[in-house]
Every structure is written in C-alpha cells, then in structure tokens.
C-alpha cells in the first residue's frame, strides 16, 4: 500500500486529488487482503469515468484491476460470459463483437470498467446493460464475503441499481456475467442516428460489427475523448417529469424533444434543456459545457472538482428557473 498517491491519471475528468492510501488488486484474494489492511473510508475505483473528486480521499483507494473473460455456459443460441470487473467495458464489447457474440454492440465506446456497468445500468442507443445481464459477484467491503446478485436483486432502473441506492458503497463488484447471442443476432438500429449512420456507411443488412462501428462514429462525433479533454460523459440524468410539466414547456417550445414513458410521465433530454438556457459551448474558468453535447461538462485543463460542481449548480439553477425542472447529476461527486 502506498501513501499520498495522485488520482489524476485514474479519473477521466482529469481532476487532481490524492489518496491517503492506495493499492491495486488483480484478483479476489488480493482484494480481500487489501480490505483487511485498508484504512477507512474505502473507495473502490474502476475506470474512474463516473467520478468527480472534490477533495483528497482520506482513506484507502483500491484500484480494481481484476481481469479475465471466460465463456461459462453454452446454450443453443447464446452463451454466458463471465467478465472480470476490472476489464475495460469497451475492450469487452470489442472482444464480443470480434467473437461474433451479440447484444452489447450498442454499448460500444462507453468509457469505464465492466464492474461499473451494472452500478448505473449503463445504456445507449436503445440498449441497457440489464438487457444482457445475468448476474454478478461482489465482495462485501466490511466482511470480505462474496455475495451473488441476480438480475432482480440488482433492481435496475434508468441509470440506476441497488448499488446506487441501499447498497451504495458497500460492495466491490468482482465479476459480471452476461448473456450474448451466438447467431441470428437481433440488431437494434431504431434509436437516434444509428439507421442514418448505417445508411451513410452504405450498409443495408447490418451485422453486429456494423452497429458497433456506427455507434463508435456517432459517439466520437458528439462526445469529447477523455484522453484529450477531461469529462465523465453525461453529467446529468435525463429528467423524468409529470406530463403537465412537459405540456407547459411545449407551449413555448413546440419542438421540445421528449420520450413518452410507460407510466405516463415524460423524459426530456437534459442536453436540450441546458442548450436552451444558453450553456452549450460556454466556458467558465477552466471548466465548461461541451460544444457538441450540452449534457457533458468538461475540464479544459487544471479544473478543480469544486469548479465543476459550481458550474453544475449554476446550470441546475438556470434550468430550474427557466423550465421548472430540477436536473440531477449522474456522476458520483466525492
Ligand atoms: N440535444 C440538444 N442539445 C444538446 C444535446 C442533445 O438539443 O446539446 C437533444 C438532441 O437533439 C436530441 C436529444 O437531445 O433530440 C437527445 O440527445 P442524444 O441522442 O445525444 O442523447 P442524450 O439523451 O443527450 C443519452 C445518454 C447518453 C447516450 C445517448 C445515446 C443519458 C443521461 N445520456 O444522452 O449516455 O450516449 O443517450 O443513447 O441518458 C452517458 O450516460 O454518459 C451517455 C453519454
């Protein structure tokens, strides 16, 4: 265990923060040993793509580097694949596409680790992690005991799971098992710009590799590359509001984009609300709102977590004043 370690290279926002104690683990046994020696509070860090540090971490940061991809069961048209939680999510998706295993291709290029994927039920282009999820194994930080979580036990919702609610901060996910199709794949091309991008690529009968390529093209054109400009993807969740709230917005903005939810409420893209309030592309000190997708806050270099939080509060206040809708951060602010 090393002391006072910089977390700068370990968070995609590129924020300088230090861990009082730091260690990396590559297996479940190493994780258990690290937990026995750890100084509380313990933070398990995966890809660092959904955290915003606003202060140094006073206890132990455990960097999860538990790797491995293994087919654990074979069925007629599917396989179950168990993936070590420290694998990169996109690396895993590329492996699956390369093996002609379908289901995760719409989730191409999402930053972060496999272990973080269930925590917020990552989703993009009409597919969510829960659609391919079978179960996971996690180690309880307080006891070192392994616990299995089935899909219902994870209580997945939109960018939500039990690991953001009642079980928050209590477990380190060590492996995730996913169900992937081995043939006759069902490709999902109905969402957003996928069909248009496939047409531009000249593809009529898309394979899962084509869908992955289309998603990568769309994401790279809109979302900043964290290797070049610090960010955590969507900073806010898309708000789900009562229909009356949306109807009121529609009176002044008839073209407001929205998705009808099964329960009668309406989801409004936060990026649109933020853009309407004039934040898109705006720079405030070292931080700013991305010029191609207003939902993404960026670090133009040397930003502190407090600066990003201040910008987020300014945006929340202005969207609330203008539309009466309160945005909630999706990123974990520590
Ligand atoms: N929009 C604007 N201005 C903007 C951004 C978006 O007007 O600056 C409008 C777009 O024109 C479109 C609508 O908002 O009508 C939706 O935009 P987009 O398709 O880009 O998706 P999003 O709702 O902003 C969500 C996810 C993304 C995911 C995309 C595609 C959340 C919080 N974000 O964004 O996920 O990639 O859909 O499925 O649900 C992430 O979670 O980090 C993330 C990037």
């Amino acid at each position: 265990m090393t002391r006072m370690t910089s977390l700068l290279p370990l968070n995609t926002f590129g924020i300088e923060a230090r861990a009082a104690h730091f260690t990396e683990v590559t297996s479940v046994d190493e994780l258990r040993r690290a937990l026995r020696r750890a100084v509380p509070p313990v933070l398990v860090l995966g890809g660092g793509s959904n955290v915003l540090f606003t202060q140094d971490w006073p206890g132990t940061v455990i960097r999860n580097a538990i790797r491995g991809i293994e087919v654990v069961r074979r069925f007629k048209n599917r396989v179950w694949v168990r993936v070590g939680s420290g694998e990169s999510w996109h690396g895993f998706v590329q492996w699956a596409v390369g093996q002609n295993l379908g289901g995760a291709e719409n989730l191409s290029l999402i930053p972060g680790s496999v272990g973080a994927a269930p925590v917020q039920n990552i989703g993009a282009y009409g597919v969510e992690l829960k659609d391919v999820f079978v179960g996971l194994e996690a180690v309880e930080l307080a006891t070192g005991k392994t616990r299995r979580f089935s899909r219902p036990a994870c209580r997945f919702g939109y960018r939500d799971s039990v690991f953001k609610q009642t079980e928050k901060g209590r477990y380190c996910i060590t492996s995730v098992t996913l169900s992937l199709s081995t043939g006759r794949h069902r490709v999902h091309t109905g969402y957003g710009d996928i069909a248009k991008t496939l047409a531009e690529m000249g593809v009529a009968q898309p394979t899962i590799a084509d869908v992955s390529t289309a998603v990568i093209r769309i994401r790279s054109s809109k979302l900043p590359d964290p290797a070049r400009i610090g960010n955590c993807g969507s900073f806010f969740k898309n708000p789900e509001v009562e229909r009356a709230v949306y109807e009121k917005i529609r009176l002044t903005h008839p073209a407001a984009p929205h998705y009808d939810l099964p329960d009668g409420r309406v989801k409004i893209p936060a990026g649109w609300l933020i853009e309407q309030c004039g934040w898109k592309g705006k720079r405030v000190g070292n931080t700013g709102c991305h010029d191609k997708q207003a939902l993404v806050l960026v670090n133009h270099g040397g930003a502190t977590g407090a600066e990003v939080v201040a910008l987020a509060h300014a945006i929340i206040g202005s969207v609330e004043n203008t539309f009466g809708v309160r945005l909630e951060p999706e990123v974990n602010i520590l």
Side-chain angles (χ1 to χ4, degrees), residues 27-38:
S27 69
V28 176
D29 281 344
E30 276 183 27
L31 171 65
R32 286 209 183 90
R33 273 199 295 277
L35 287 172
R36 281 199 293 271
R37 291 195 319 251

Side-chain angles (χ1 to χ4, degrees), residues 120 123-126 158-159 191-192 219 222-223 232-238 257 259 267 269-273 275-276 280 290 292-296 330:
Q120 59 154 338
Y125 305 102
Y158 165 61
R159 290 299 190 280
Y191 189 96
R219 289 187 76 98
K222 281 194 196 171
L223 299 170
C232 269
S234 303
F235 194 91
F236 302 101
K237 291 200 250 188
N238 285 333
Y259 315 100
K267 191 191 267 189
W272 180 85
L273 294 166
E275 180 174 353
Q276 298 305 307
K280 194 171 185 170
H290 188 51
K292 297 197 188 78
Q293 163 55 290
L295 191 50
V296 179
E330 188 215 81

Side-chain angles (χ1 to χ4, degrees), residues 18-49:
R18 290 176 307 168
H21 306 273
F22 178 83
T23 188
E24 184 169 284
V25 297
T26 59
S27 69
V28 176
D29 281 344
E30 276 183 27
L31 171 65
R32 286 209 183 90
R33 273 199 295 277
L35 287 172
R36 281 199 293 271
R37 291 195 319 251
V39 179
V42 173
L43 172 69
V44 181
L45 204 55
S49 62

Side-chain angles (χ1 to χ4, degrees), residues 12-329:
T12 62
F13 236 124
I15 302 287
E16 180 57 281
R18 290 176 307 168
H21 306 273
F22 178 83
T23 188
E24 184 169 284
V25 297
T26 59
S27 69
V28 176
D29 281 344
E30 276 183 27
L31 171 65
R32 286 209 183 90
R33 273 199 295 277
L35 287 172
R36 281 199 293 271
R37 291 195 319 251
V39 179
V42 173
L43 172 69
V44 181
L45 204 55
S49 62
N50 209 40
V51 288
L52 175 63
F53 287 107
T54 58
Q55 53 189 337
D56 288 339
W57 189 261
T60 300
V61 171
I62 300 178
R63 162 114 160 128
N64 175 0
I66 301 173
R67 300 258 144 76
I69 304 181
E70 191 190 353
V71 174
V72 289
R73 280 184 81 169
R74 291 178 193 278
F75 303 89
K76 195 160 161 245
N77 296 314
R78 342 206 96 246
V79 288
W80 283 4
V81 182
R82 184 166 61 213
V83 192
S85 56
E87 290 282 347
S88 116
W89 173 262
H90 180 60
F92 158 69
V93 174
Q94 281 182 307
W95 173 86
V97 171
Q99 304 281 316
N100 194 31
L101 296 175
E105 57 280 359
N106 291 49
L107 306 176
S108 295
L109 213 61
I110 295 187
S113 64
V114 166
V119 175
Q120 59 154 338
N121 183 25
I122 57 169
Y125 305 102
V127 174
E128 288 182 328
L129 178 88
K130 71 169 170 52
D131 304 330
V132 289
F133 183 88
V134 176
L136 62 78
E137 285 190 357
V139 167
E140 193 177 17
L141 301 182
T143 62
K145 283 196 184 135
T146 292
R147 186 174 153 193
R148 288 190 175 79
F149 287 80
S150 65
R151 183 155 66 159
C154 292
R155 289 201 228 123
F156 290 123
Y158 165 61
R159 290 299 190 280
D160 199 27
S161 78
V162 78
F163 302 103
K164 281 180 94 173
Q165 303 294 337
T166 49
E167 308 297 3
K168 188 172 176 168
R170 291 189 51 202
Y171 288 93
C172 171
I173 294 171
T174 51
S175 73
V176 179
T177 301
L178 303 165
S179 174
L180 301 173
S181 57
T182 51
R184 279 191 273 132
H185 305 299
R186 245 170 33 118
V187 290
H188 299 271
T189 58
Y191 189 96
D193 286 341
I194 295 201
K196 193 175 125 221
T197 306
L198 286 166
E200 282 163 14
M201 287 161 53
V203 174
Q205 300 271 309
T207 62
I208 57 171
D210 294 325
V211 173
S212 174
T213 304
V215 168
I216 290 171
R217 277 202 195 188
I218 300 169
R219 289 187 76 98
S220 332
S221 72
K222 281 194 196 171
L223 299 170
D225 175 1
R228 293 183 42 237
I229 176 157
N231 76 91
C232 269
S234 303
F235 194 91
F236 302 101
K237 291 200 250 188
N238 285 333
E240 299 175 329
V241 303
E242 298 304 323
R243 179 158 289 276
V245 174
Y246 160 69
E247 293 296 350
K248 199 167 158 217
I249 294 174
R250 210 166 67 137
L251 290 176
T252 46
H253 300 79
H258 66 286
Y259 315 100
D260 293 317
L261 297 171
D263 62 4
R265 291 182 311 148
V266 179
K267 191 191 267 189
I268 305 179
W272 180 85
L273 294 166
I274 297 167
E275 180 174 353
Q276 298 305 307
C277 293
W279 289 100
K280 194 171 185 170
K282 211 169 198 178
R283 192 173 166 147
V284 182
N286 293 327
T287 67
C289 185
H290 188 51
D291 56 355
K292 297 197 188 78
Q293 163 55 290
L295 191 50
V296 179
L297 303 189
V298 296
N299 175 2
H300 286 294
T304 63
E307 273 182 280
V308 179
V309 169
L311 173 63
H313 281 143
I315 291 173
I316 291 171
S318 104
V319 167
E320 191 160 25
N321 281 339
T322 311
F323 293 109
V325 175
R326 189 157 177 89
L327 295 182
E328 268 179 50

